[in-house]
Amino acid sequence: GLRRVRGPARPRRLPARMSAAPDATAQAPLPTAAQVGGKAAVLLELERAGFRVPRTLVSPPDLRAAVEAVGFPIAVRSSATVEDGRRASFAGQFESILNLETFEAVEAAVAAVRASASAPSVVEYCKKSGIDPASVRMEVIVQRLIRPELAGVA
């Protein structure tokens, strides 16, 4: 059954001294949703604001180094530039692969997530939504997977 967890129901902000961004004004601008997709842009923004976000890397150029930095278990998630837009959400259209425990599994998951951008169902969804399928650009989130005892959305 469900167990009651003590503490606030919403994310807690870290004290400034523990924040990922002690002085956000001195840092380089974060990438936009048009550059890295909406999901990645929001995760990076939350991280910079000091929220506790599992270690997240976006389309890392050196996958092996990224896997070592993030640690296992890993989630490989989609972050397409067309997701969560004004014309279409693309909910459930792209792959996300969880519980990865080896580099080889992460490597295969990255390829599968990238390939999901051109899946026939995505092409059809684009056409129905008035979006050029060629405009879909997929970035890949490599993220430490957490295993919470309880989670929810209000």
Side-chain angles (χ1 to χ4, degrees), residues 84-139:
D84 302 326
R86 290 185 177 151
R87 296 191 307 190
S89 71
F90 283 82
Q93 295 296 313
F94 303 114
E95 291 286 332
S96 285
I97 303 169
L98 311 177
N99 280 330
L100 303 169
E101 295 283 354
T102 67
F103 173 75
E104 294 75 19
V106 172
E107 197 171 39
V110 167
V113 169
R114 288 198 184 280
S116 71
S118 58
S121 60
V122 171
V123 172
E124 184 63 28
Y125 187 91
C126 285
K127 289 177 182 176
K128 287 181 179 178
S129 302
I131 297 170
D132 178 6
S135 71
V136 177
R137 199 175 87 238
M138 178 65 72
E139 299 298 329

Side-chain angles (χ1 to χ4, degrees), residues 57-63 66 114 140-142:
L57 299 172
V58 180
S59 296
D62 183 344
L63 187 58
R114 288 198 184 280
V140 177
I141 297 168
V142 176

Side-chain angles (χ1 to χ4, degrees), residues 28-46:
L30 289 169
T32 65
Q35 295 169 314
V36 296
K39 191 182 301 173
V42 169
L43 285 168
L44 295 172
E45 185 178 354
L46 287 169

Side-chain angles (χ1 to χ4, degrees), residues 72-91:
F72 293 107
I74 290 177
V76 174
R77 305 173 65 195
S78 65
S79 187
T81 55
V82 294
E83 280 182 294
D84 302 326
R86 290 185 177 151
R87 296 191 307 190
S89 71
F90 283 82

